[in-house]
Structures are given as C-alpha cells and as structure tokens.
Amino acid sequence: MTGCPVDHDAMFNSVPDNPKPYGDIPAEESGIPFLGDSIAYTRDPIGFSRERYKKYGPISRMKLLGQDILLLVGPAANQATLLDRERVFSNKEGWDFPIGHLFPRGLMLRDFDDHRSHRLVMQAAFNKEPMQQYMEMMNPDISGLLDQWIPAGHDGVDIEFYNSIKKLTLDLATTIFVGEELGGYGQKVNKAITDVVVAAGAFLRLRIPGTKFWAGIRGREFLVEYFQSRIEERRAGSGNDMFSQLCRAQAEDGSRYTDDEIVDHMIFLLFAAHDTTTIAFTTMVYYLAKHPEWQERLRQQSLELGKPYVDYEDLGKMSETELVFKEALRLIAPVYALMRRTVKDSVIGGYQV
C-alpha cells in the first residue's frame, strides 16, 4: 500500500466505468508448485492475512492447493461480500472445497432462495418455546459436567480449559441436539462427530485408511446411518431435542425437510454447535483472565440472579456477559475466514473478476 489513504468503502460499494483487469490484482508467487501459499496460510492464517492487508490493501491474490484465491480483508470488503446484492458469491461452491465431502448440503452449503427456504423450516426449531425447552434440558447437564472439572475436595486443580469446554459442549450437543444419553450410542455419536471435525481441518484429503480424513468419512457414514434409522420414530414422537424438532419442523407454507435433508442438517449442526462455541468460550475466558475487573463484573451480575441456573427469561438480564461474549467474537472470530466462489463475472474492489 502507498502512504496515501485509500477509500475502501468506495472500492467495494461502487462500480468504476473502467475497472482494472484481474491480472492487476496484487499477488505474490511463492514458487511452490500447486501448494502456492498453502503452508504459510495454514501456519498462521490471521497473521498471513494481516501482512497481506498491510502490504496490498483489502484485495490481493493467492494460491491454495491449486485454487486461485482472492483474499478480501476489512469491513468494507466483508460487507460487500456478505450483502451480495447481485448474487455473485456462492456459499456452496466456496465451502465445497474445504468441507463439502464431510458436510454436503448443510445450511452453510446452500445458496440464495434454497438457503432461505431451508432456513425458514429450521427456524421452527429455534423459536421461543423450543429454546426454553433446550435451556431446561441444558442446565442440569451443565451443572453436573462442571462438577467434574474440579474433583470434590481438590480446590486449585489446574485444567486445560479448551479441552474441558470442548468436551462439555460436545456432550451437550449429544444430549440436547440428538437426545441421546451419554454412554453407549451417545459416546459413539461423540466419537463420530469428533472424527468428522478433525477431518475438516486435515491438510491431506485422501481417502486412505489410517488417515484423519478417512476417519472423518467413516464417522460421517456412521452418523448418516444413525440418524436415518431414527427419523420415523422421532417424527412420530414428542421429544424436545433438536433432532426431534427438525423431524417435525414445518415452515408457515407447510414445507418440511426430507429424511436426507434432516440427516445433512443434523450432522452440520453438531459440527457448528460445539466447535465454534468452544473457540468463542475459550477466547472469552482468555480475555477475562487478562482483565480480572471484568471477571468481577460478570460474577456480580450472575450472583444478582439469586439462583443456581440461568433460565431463558434471565438471558435479557445478562447484558454485560453479552457484551464480553460479543467482544470476544470481535477480537478472535471462531471462523477466521468465510469461503465464497464467484458464479458470474463481476467487479470486485475495482477489478474485473
């Protein structure tokens, strides 16, 4: 970048009469065939992106595993991409490359009207009444799982927070989302989704026995068979877990999910529900440890409730906890990059793409 200020909003919110050609977008060639910038980006994606932003500004080119990538950084670039008024950017085509084999047809891998129709059906499982029921189911489990963090009579025992909260959120996902008690099939579901999540971050995506990616594929196969075999029972039942809610979910126009759609959404929700939440909580606790005055403010707000559990109606009273959680999301986003693929010619950041 030059020393002159750059109007990033104008770059992404206006279409110049003579956009620059694609080849003029700044790029660096690493000299490594096929891999390109893959190693540097994988090692430190946020640091890599910041350096690129500092050197080139909000738009530059890179290579990842043979893919030609535009790196768009900053609020103006993100706003233009996420609003996508011209329907240029495909979620499905973008995410298919890193996670399509493991989470095909999940909500994040659907586009435009198809995405909207699926979201409307899913919304039935996130209305006030189901959310209240989830809270009632979660509180006893949270209390019991937290008791396991520090054995009775052993105050001051060190724990690894990330691993502990990851186990807690995954256990909650199994009981609240799937409606499966821990132990037996619950543990098998936990193991399968863990293998799928690990495979999603695998560098080598080869279906070779013994690899992380192979374990993830096998984990998905188990989950598909598990959910398929239980849909009819859950649809006819009255369970309050997320799986049962999705089996019965219906949009205002009467549309419902097919069996295959329920399976795809459940596997993706299990992934999204515990993985990103784990990262967000870990970030939140990290910054609270650095700012003990905010620990005390949140502690006092919790104590003012005067009860051992947080009920659904109490969430609106936890204003400072919400502030800290949102600030943790701002400082370290659980998903550090959003993947999109252009589906038609467009002008992006003043360049013809």
Side-chain angles (χ1 to χ4, degrees):
M1 294 177 67
T2 65
C4 300
V6 178
D7 187 348
H8 294 168
D9 287 336
M11 287 178 65
F12 288 94
N13 295 326
S14 62
V15 179
D17 293 332
N18 297 302
K20 300 175 185 177
Y22 181 81
D24 284 356
I25 299 175
E28 285 184 2
E29 295 298 333
S30 66
I32 304 176
F34 182 74
L35 290 178
D37 302 295
S38 303
I39 296 175
Y41 183 77
T42 303
R43 185 181 294 122
D44 183 7
I46 296 177
F48 180 93
S49 301
R50 284 174 173 165
E51 284 300 312
R52 280 298 188 90
Y53 182 82
K54 183 178 179 181
K55 186 172 183 178
Y56 295 127
I59 181 169
S60 61
R61 286 185 292 135
M62 58 191 287
K63 287 280 189 180
L64 291 181
L65 298 177
Q67 299 286 313
D68 196 12
I69 304 289
L70 276 185
L71 182 63
L72 305 179
V73 183
N78 278 268
Q79 182 184 49
T81 306
L82 293 173
L83 286 178
D84 193 18
R85 292 187 174 94
E86 302 299 323
R87 294 192 170 189
V88 173
F89 306 104
S90 167
N91 286 299
K92 178 185 182 302
E93 298 296 329
W95 286 109
D96 252 352
F97 174 63
I99 63 173
H101 291 298
L102 299 165
F103 304 102
R105 300 169 299 278
L107 193 61
M108 198 169 72
L109 282 82
R110 292 180 180 272
D111 286 325
F112 313 131
D113 292 336
D114 178 55
H115 178 274
R116 183 176 183 274
S117 64
H118 276 259
R119 192 178 70 243
L120 288 175
V121 177
M122 190 174 292
Q123 189 61 42
F126 288 92
N127 289 333
K128 182 177 180 180
E129 184 177 348
M131 292 296 287
Q132 289 175 315
Q133 294 168 344
Y134 301 149
M135 288 285 292
E136 292 173 2
M137 296 166 65
M138 287 170 66
N139 276 325
D141 284 349
I142 291 174
S143 180
L145 291 166
L146 288 179
D147 288 341
Q148 299 174 17
W149 284 14
I150 299 180
H154 292 277
D155 292 342
V157 173
D158 290 338
I159 65 168
E160 292 183 348
F161 182 81
Y162 175 83
N163 292 332
S164 300
I165 195 70
K166 187 176 182 68
K167 182 179 185 306
L168 188 151
T169 54
L170 183 55
D171 287 348
L172 286 176
T174 302
T175 56
I176 308 306
F177 276 48
V178 184
E180 191 74 63
E181 294 296 324
L182 297 178
Y185 265 106
Q187 292 305 115
K188 292 180 180 179
V189 170
N190 271 8
K191 174 66 166 58
I193 194 61
T194 299
D195 287 343
V196 174
V197 171
V198 170
F203 191 75
L204 295 176
R205 297 166 180 273
L206 303 175
R207 300 192 182 204
I208 300 175
T211 64
K212 293 178 181 178
F213 193 70
W214 173 261
I217 294 295
R218 296 296 301 272
R220 176 179 171 80
E221 290 172 352
F222 169 83
L223 291 171
V224 169
E225 182 179 351
Y226 172 86
F227 287 123
Q228 284 281 12
S229 66
R230 289 161 173 77
I231 288 175
E232 185 176 344
E233 173 192 350
R234 297 299 180 93
R235 188 173 278 143
S238 58
N240 294 326
D241 56 88
M242 179 75 71
F243 182 25
S244 297
Q245 295 279 358
L246 285 186
C247 289
R248 302 192 302 266
Q250 182 173 312
E252 291 183 0
D253 63 1
S255 57
R256 306 171 67 119
Y257 289 141
T258 66
D259 289 3
D260 288 341
E261 289 170 344
I262 291 170
V263 171
D264 290 332
H265 285 312
M266 279 303 304
I267 294 174
F268 180 75
L269 283 172
L270 279 174
F271 161 57
H274 91 277
D275 197 57
T276 53
T277 306
T278 294
I279 298 170
F281 280 153
T282 303
T283 302
M284 185 176 175
V285 166
Y286 170 78
Y287 280 106
L288 284 174
K290 297 186 71 173
H291 299 278
E293 69 278 12
W294 275 94
Q295 281 191 56
E296 188 57 32
R297 289 175 66 165
L298 266 58
R299 187 189 306 277
Q300 288 303 316
Q301 188 172 75
S302 297
L303 291 173
E304 287 171 5
L305 294 177
K307 57 176 72 171
Y309 297 152
V310 177
D311 293 319
Y312 183 83
E313 290 74 18
D314 296 324
L315 295 178
K317 305 172 186 177
M318 309 292 287
S319 56
E320 294 199 341
T321 302
E322 183 177 359
L323 287 175
V324 170
F325 186 70
K326 288 183 175 179
E327 181 67 356
L329 294 177
R330 186 187 71 82
L331 289 166
I332 301 179
V335 180
Y336 55 78
L338 301 178
M339 308 294 286
R340 300 288 188 270
R341 186 182 289 273
T342 51
V343 293
K344 61 182 179 181
D345 294 349
S346 181
V347 176
I348 303 174
Y351 295 93
Q352 184 69 46
V353 177

